[in-house]
Amino acid sequence: MNDKDAAARRGTGSDSTPITLRRAEPGDGAAVAEVYLRSFDAALPTVRRAHDDDGVRAFFRDVVVVHHETWVADEAGTVVGMMVLEDGRMEQLYLDPARRGHGLGDRFVQLAKERSPQGLDLWTFQVNAPAHRFYERHGFLAAERTDGSDNEEREPDIRYVWKGDAAADDRP
C-alpha cells in the first residue's frame, strides 16, 4: 500500500485515537476471531453459532487470515474490526461492539467497493435489521432470501448485491 492509500485508510476512534485499515497478518488471527465472537454475540443474540469459541478461533487463525483477503481496523495495536473479501463477495464484516456507529463500518464498505469496483455481494441474516439498513444505505439491494438451509447456522438469510461503479463500465 502506498502512502496515499495508507492515508485514505486512516481515521480516528471514539477517543481520537487513530484507526488504520490494513491487511491482516498471520499473527492477527486470534484478535480477528475475538472481534468476530464479541460482535456476533452482541448483534445476533438469537442466532445459534455453528461452532464453539475454540472452533471459531482456529478457523480465523488457520484459514481466514492465512488464506483470504482479510482486513483489520487497527487502533493503537488493537484489532477493533475485521472484513474478509473473496472474489467480489464480502464474506465477513464485524466490528467490536464499542466501535459501532462511529463510521468504521462505512470505511470498510468503501474499501470493499474500491477493491471490487465491478460489484459486491454479501449475505446477512434476516433477523439482523440494523445490517439491512446499513447495507441499503451503502447502495446494496436485497436480491435473494433463503430459509437458511444452506448456511451452517440454519438461519434464514438475505443476499445483498451492490452493482458496482456503473460509470466505470461506460468508460472507453
Side-chain angles (χ1 to χ4, degrees), residues 46-87:
T46 63
V47 177
R48 177 194 65 82
R49 276 195 280 119
H51 303 280
D52 66 15
D53 290 1
D54 288 340
V56 168
R57 288 179 183 112
F59 177 67
F60 279 97
R61 180 190 64 237
D62 300 335
V63 178
V64 174
V65 171
V66 176
H67 298 290
H68 300 280
E69 182 180 345
T70 305
W71 290 82
V72 297
D74 184 315
E75 182 176 30
T78 300
V79 174
V80 297
M82 54 83 74
M83 176 181 70
V84 179
L85 299 173
E86 185 173 340
D87 299 326

Side-chain angles (χ1 to χ4, degrees), residues 34 39 44 48 53 58 63-64 68 75 86 88 93 96 116 124 144 153 166 170 172:
E34 293 307 318
S39 181
L44 301 164
R48 177 194 65 82
D53 290 1
V63 178
V64 174
H68 300 280
E75 182 176 30
E86 185 173 340
L93 175 58
D96 185 284
S116 298
T124 188
E144 177 181 2
E153 294 82 4
D170 297 334

Side-chain angles (χ1 to χ4, degrees), residues 91-168:
E91 293 287 344
Q92 313 273 345
L93 175 58
Y94 289 94
L95 307 177
D96 185 284
R99 298 304 183 273
R100 288 195 188 123
H102 299 284
L104 188 52
D106 299 332
R107 291 175 56 205
F108 270 127
V109 170
Q110 182 60 39
L111 173 61
K113 288 178 174 182
E114 290 170 9
R115 305 283 301 163
S116 298
Q118 297 82 16
L120 286 164
D121 73 329
L122 61 92
W123 289 91
T124 188
F125 296 118
Q126 290 184 26
V127 298
N128 195 351
H132 306 173
R133 289 189 298 273
F134 173 79
Y135 291 119
E136 289 166 4
R137 189 173 77 239
H138 286 282
F140 286 81
L141 300 173
E144 177 181 2
R145 293 176 183 268
T146 78
D147 63 3
S149 60
D150 288 335
N151 65 51
E152 290 183 308
E153 294 82 4
R154 300 295 181 243
E155 183 71 29
D157 54 5
I158 302 173
R159 184 171 67 94
Y160 275 92
V161 175
W162 173 69
K163 297 288 187 182
D165 183 2

